[in-house]
């Protein structure tokens, strides 16, 4: 394998260099997908210059399965490239039974990171995230655990995920008091899920807070859990995420929502793009977005997504055409569990 012969564009934020398109391992890295298929996808990503691999303790199923798959690769084909890879993981959602198997306590975060490092077969991750805001745990405890991970050398940097604008401001204040920097924020963002643009109590959106703080923004689900692929233009095909009962719920595929998706597909085709490429370029239109996470199933899907980063930026005419159809579709899975708290 020859790493990084064909690099995708990169962006900088808060001391990190990230490819504009990164590989998220939320989907397709559990027991239902063969290791050979996982291996082919990750190695293709690295060959294409996607040096950022994003994980979490609950990615699988079962939990830690995705990290174990990447750990096998870090121990073999990717061993020589570890210093050029950005490996990120998170803790916050349920990873094992019991009172310390989820949420935001220091005990859980520390134990989870140790398990993640064993699964990944590495002594550190490049970014360790608090995966969600936990109202039952003081922020000083949660952010303090992140600070402890950096001081112990188990994480090079830390961040938060799906925290609202107000909670992000609070987390930044606590981090400053603890003498630690929150480097990145990871949040869902797409043409059908624009919650990061909503103003907080001080009038600033999450994007504003992140930008003002000099944090990076890692946007996940830029294809709206697959709604912004072309698979659902004419119904729910067998074998799709919606048909399999995945994170894309069939009830979201209303005629109104699909009408917007079809209109966006027409805009994409008129400009010589695919709908996924339009969706990625739209998220990347904002310079505060450092990278978008894609969750491809195959190397071919990955190649199409990477082409979205290589296309020309959206024109003013395209942005104007998109705006009436880039509407919130009620698909923010993470609202009630984090960003609305």
């Amino acid at each position: 394998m020859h790493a990084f012969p064909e690099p995708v564009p990169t962006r900088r934020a808060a001391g990190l260099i990230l490819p504009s398109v990164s590989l998220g391992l939320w989907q397709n890295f559990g027991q239902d997908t063969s290791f050979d298929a996982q291996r082919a996808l990750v190695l293709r990503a690295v060959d294409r210059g996607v040096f950022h691999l994003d994980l979490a303790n609950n990615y699988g199923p079962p939990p830690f399965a995705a990290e174990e798959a990447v750990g096998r690769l870090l121990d073999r084909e990717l061993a020589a490239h570890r210093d050029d890879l950005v490996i990120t993981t998170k803790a916050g959602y349920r990873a094992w039974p019991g009172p310390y198997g989820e949420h935001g306590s220091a005990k859980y975060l520390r134990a989870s990171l140790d398990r993640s490092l064993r699964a990944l077969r590495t002594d550190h991750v490049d970014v360790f995230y608090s995966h969600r805001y936990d109202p039952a745990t003081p922020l000083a405890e949660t952010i303090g655990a992140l600070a402890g991970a950096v001081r112990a050398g188990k994480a090079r940097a830390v961040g938060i995920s799906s925290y609202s604008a107000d909670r992000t401001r609070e987390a930044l204040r606590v981090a400053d008091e603890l003498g630690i920097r929150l480097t990145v924020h990871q949040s869902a963002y797409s043409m059908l899920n624009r919650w990061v643009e909503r103003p907080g109590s001080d009038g600033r959106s999450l994007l504003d807070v992140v930008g003002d703080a000099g944090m990076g923004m890692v946007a996940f689900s830029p294809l709206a859990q697959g709604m912004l692929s072309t698979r659902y233009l004419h119904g729910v095909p067998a074998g799709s995420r919606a048909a399999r009962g995945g994170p894309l719920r069939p009830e979201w595929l209303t005629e109104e929502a699909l009408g917007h998706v079809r209109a966006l597909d027409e805009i994409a085709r008129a400009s010589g793009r695919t709908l996924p490429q339009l969706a990625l370029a739209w998220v990347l239109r904002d310079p505060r977005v450092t990278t978008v996470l894609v969750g491809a199933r195959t190397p071919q899907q990955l190649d199409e997504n990477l082409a979205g980063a290589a296309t020309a930026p959206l024109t003013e005419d395209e942005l104007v055409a998109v705006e009436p159809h880039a509407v919130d579709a009620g698909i923010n899975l993470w609202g009630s569990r984090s960003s609305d708290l």
Side-chain angles (χ1 to χ4, degrees), residues 13 61 76 85 94 120 127 129 149 153 160 222 237 253 285 303 323:
R76 301 175 189 176
L85 295 171
R94 189 170 181 82
L120 287 165
V127 181
Y129 290 92
I160 54 179
L253 300 172
R285 83 199 187 287
D303 288 343
E323 189 61 24

Side-chain angles (χ1 to χ4, degrees), residues 20-236:
S20 56
V21 176
S22 300
L23 183 62
L25 283 76
W26 175 29
Q27 303 288 330
N28 309 312
F29 276 80
Q31 58 192 4
D32 294 335
T33 304
S34 72
F35 177 70
D36 285 344
Q38 295 168 352
R39 175 183 178 276
L41 179 59
V42 172
L43 296 187
R44 177 59 176 164
V46 174
D47 265 345
R48 289 295 310 273
V50 179
F51 54 87
H52 174 206
L53 307 178
D54 181 73
L55 298 137
N57 59 1
N58 64 325
Y59 290 177
F64 301 100
E67 292 175 327
E68 288 170 356
V70 172
R72 291 174 66 179
L73 294 172
L74 289 176
D75 204 37
R76 301 175 189 176
E77 291 95 332
L78 297 179
H81 306 293
R82 176 64 185 95
D83 290 339
D84 287 316
L85 295 171
V86 176
I87 306 295
T88 64
T89 196
K90 303 178 273 304
Y93 289 101
R94 189 170 181 82
W96 62 84
Y100 290 106
E102 62 180 322
H103 300 305
S105 72
K107 180 176 174 63
Y108 164 62
L109 292 175
R110 291 167 184 153
S112 179
L113 180 55
D114 285 342
R115 290 194 189 197
S116 292
L117 293 177
R118 288 195 295 271
L120 287 165
R121 308 187 193 188
T122 187
D123 63 353
H124 73 280
V125 292
D126 297 284
V127 181
F128 180 47
Y129 290 92
S130 166
H131 206 167
R132 60 168 166 169
Y133 172 71
D134 176 15
T137 302
L139 271 175
E141 180 178 343
T142 300
I143 304 303
L146 298 181
V150 173
R151 290 167 184 150
K154 297 178 181 181
R156 296 290 188 259
V158 290
I160 54 179
S161 179
S162 297
Y163 281 50
S164 68
D166 290 344
R167 298 305 185 188
T168 298
R169 286 193 294 106
E170 295 173 13
L172 286 164
R173 175 184 54 78
V174 171
D176 186 62
E177 292 171 354
L178 295 172
I180 189 70
R181 182 177 190 181
L182 295 179
T183 300
V184 284
H185 190 296
Q186 187 172 132
S187 174
Y189 188 30
S190 73
M191 291 191 290
L192 299 181
N193 184 7
R194 301 179 65 167
W195 79 273
V196 300
E197 300 173 9
R198 294 200 299 262
S201 61
D202 68 349
R204 293 186 299 158
S205 69
L206 176 59
L207 277 171
D208 293 331
V209 172
V210 165
D212 292 345
M215 299 175 74
M217 169 64 81
V218 176
F220 70 88
S221 290
L223 304 186
Q225 287 90 261
M227 285 183 68
L228 293 170
S229 69
T230 56
R231 303 197 75 188
Y232 302 100
L233 295 176
H234 307 290
V236 181

